[in-house]
Amino acid sequence: MSAKYRVLITDRAWPDCEVEKQELARVDAEVIEAPPGADEQTLIECATGVDAIATCWAQVTQSVIEAAPDCKTIARLGIGLDNIDVKYATSKKIPVTNVPDYCIPEVADHAIALMLASLRNVAFFHHQTKQGIYDLSAAPMPRRVGTLTMGLFGFGLTGQAVAERARAFGMQVIATNSSGNDYGTGTRMVSFDELLEQSDVISIHAPLTEATQHQFDADAFEKMKPTSLIINTSRGGLIDFDALKSAIQNQSIAGAALDVFDPEPPDLSDPFFQHERVIATPHAAFISSESLDELRAQAARQVADVLVGKDTMNIVNPEALA
């Protein structure tokens, strides 16, 4: 006997869908998996007639949504929403959910790890010793971390977690966001230009929107200190990659530590990735066994709730329910 509901999972960053299947089976929903690396046309074919869509990184476009006229919800297996056409979903009265708090400690820890690996020359010396070079003088003289200013672009839950960790190292912390709200943390909120000019380290923790696309462009890098470091664990599109490459090459800034790229995966044959002051990790900041368990179970429960008409958490477009 066929299940009452069908849920498409477009892609995943984990070995199987057992967690999702167990949660959705509670409401008599079966999971349909798109093949790895599915393009838009394949996703359209997979989405035909489904009752819900859950997506990790795949693009859930208007055409994909149109293929599922009975779709009751779209769930992001993550935080950012730039891979879902939320505007079109809203126009079709389809609630879209995400999981905004599942990997905050992991991303904050990763940002700090990238910072220390760069500031303390850990990544540089590691690369040198792997090449048979044991030379303390090969790297620039580091500064004491506690004398530096951490600037946060975006000050949501993850940005606040990074601020807490940075202060534990004695760093001064400043931040900028669209509201100017410090959320009771006592953090000094500044303008974007002040953030660029005053920060020794800038860590990006903002969503990718039309307003923030390429926020860090050539003009931004020119305003940064030549000794500064930029860290991105948010979305690759927040940085103009060509402008960043020029800034590194021209020594307008001292280094970059990146976990996200545009596009993903990046072209690792680009000489940029061989630069001694560039650190790159493969969109790994979010991951831990605990964070994945939280993410998968919560996203699946949100889908199940909507399918059976229950109120659920983290609907990002409540106007779809009006």
Side-chain angles (χ1 to χ4, degrees):
M1 185 175 177
S2 61
K4 185 175 182 179
Y5 304 108
R6 299 167 70 238
V7 178
L8 171 64
I9 296 183
T10 63
D11 61 318
R12 51 182 164 81
W14 38 89
D16 57 50
C17 286
E18 290 308 309
V19 171
E20 295 84 351
K21 288 178 180 178
Q22 290 176 19
E23 289 291 339
L24 290 165
R26 301 176 192 274
V27 295
D28 195 21
E30 68 171 318
V31 167
I32 299 164
E33 289 194 68
D39 59 15
E40 183 181 44
Q41 184 56 45
T42 302
L43 289 177
I44 289 171
E45 294 169 2
C46 293
T48 301
V50 301
D51 300 286
I53 299 172
T55 183
C56 187
W57 294 315
Q59 295 292 317
V60 181
T61 63
Q62 176 176 334
S63 296
V64 173
I65 299 170
E66 286 176 335
D70 296 324
C71 184
K72 298 173 178 62
T73 186
I74 300 169
R76 171 78 216 288
L77 289 152
I79 300 173
L81 298 157
D82 48 286
N83 64 318
I84 300 172
D85 191 335
V86 178
K87 183 177 180 180
Y88 181 72
T90 303
S91 75
K92 305 304 290 185
K93 303 296 184 183
I94 300 172
V96 177
T97 64
N98 68 345
V99 188
D101 56 358
Y102 81 97
C103 63
I104 291 166
E106 286 79 10
V107 175
D109 289 348
H110 201 87
I112 294 296
L114 291 174
M115 179 188 78
L116 293 175
S118 182
L119 294 180
R120 295 299 308 159
N121 294 316
V122 173
F124 175 81
F125 284 135
H126 174 72
H127 179 74
Q128 291 267 296
T129 56
K130 291 293 184 181
Q131 305 302 313
I133 302 169
Y134 190 83
D135 182 5
L136 175 62
S137 65
M141 181 68 70
R143 291 178 59 193
R144 182 175 292 170
V145 174
T147 67
L148 304 180
T149 296
M150 164 70 84
L152 297 166
F153 180 73
F155 201 57
L157 295 175
T158 306
Q160 292 168 50
V162 174
E164 182 180 8
R165 287 157 173 76
R167 289 193 182 97
F169 286 94
M171 301 180 78
Q172 296 295 314
V173 178
I174 59 177
T176 190
N177 60 14
S178 58
S179 68
N181 191 344
D182 74 350
Y183 300 101
T185 64
T187 301
R188 184 163 67 91
M189 305 304 290
V190 299
S191 69
F192 181 56
D193 281 352
E194 289 174 317
L195 189 90
L196 297 172
E197 294 163 359
Q198 298 177 22
S199 300
D200 298 295
V201 179
I202 291 178
S203 191
I204 302 175
H205 301 284
L208 177 62
T209 66
E210 290 183 6
T212 60
Q213 175 84 20
H214 288 182
Q215 180 84 35
F216 289 85
D217 55 12
D219 182 59
F221 289 122
E222 287 177 5
K223 293 176 181 177
M224 290 172 62
K225 297 179 181 181
T227 55
S228 64
L229 166 70
I230 191 163
I231 300 168
N232 192 5
T233 55
S234 188
R235 283 291 183 270
L238 290 157
I239 294 178
D240 181 333
F241 188 56
D242 289 335
L244 175 61
K245 289 197 289 185
S246 295
I248 292 290
Q249 182 177 358
N250 300 333
Q251 298 184 351
S252 299
I253 64 173
L258 310 173
D259 185 57
V260 288
F261 310 90
D262 183 21
E264 288 190 356
D267 178 9
L268 294 180
S269 67
D270 190 318
F272 171 82
F273 292 102
Q274 300 303 314
H275 195 284
E276 60 190 18
R277 305 308 299 173
V278 171
I279 301 173
T281 55
H283 203 144
F286 73 98
I287 201 165
S288 73
S289 57
E290 293 84 358
S291 69
L292 286 186
D293 286 346
E294 291 173 4
L295 167 67
R296 297 169 65 188
Q298 185 170 324
R301 282 196 295 269
Q302 289 169 181
V303 171
D305 287 344
V306 176
L307 288 177
V308 298
K310 292 183 179 179
D311 292 337
T312 196
M313 302 169 59
N314 305 321
I315 294 177
V316 301
N317 59 339
E319 60 272 29
L321 302 176

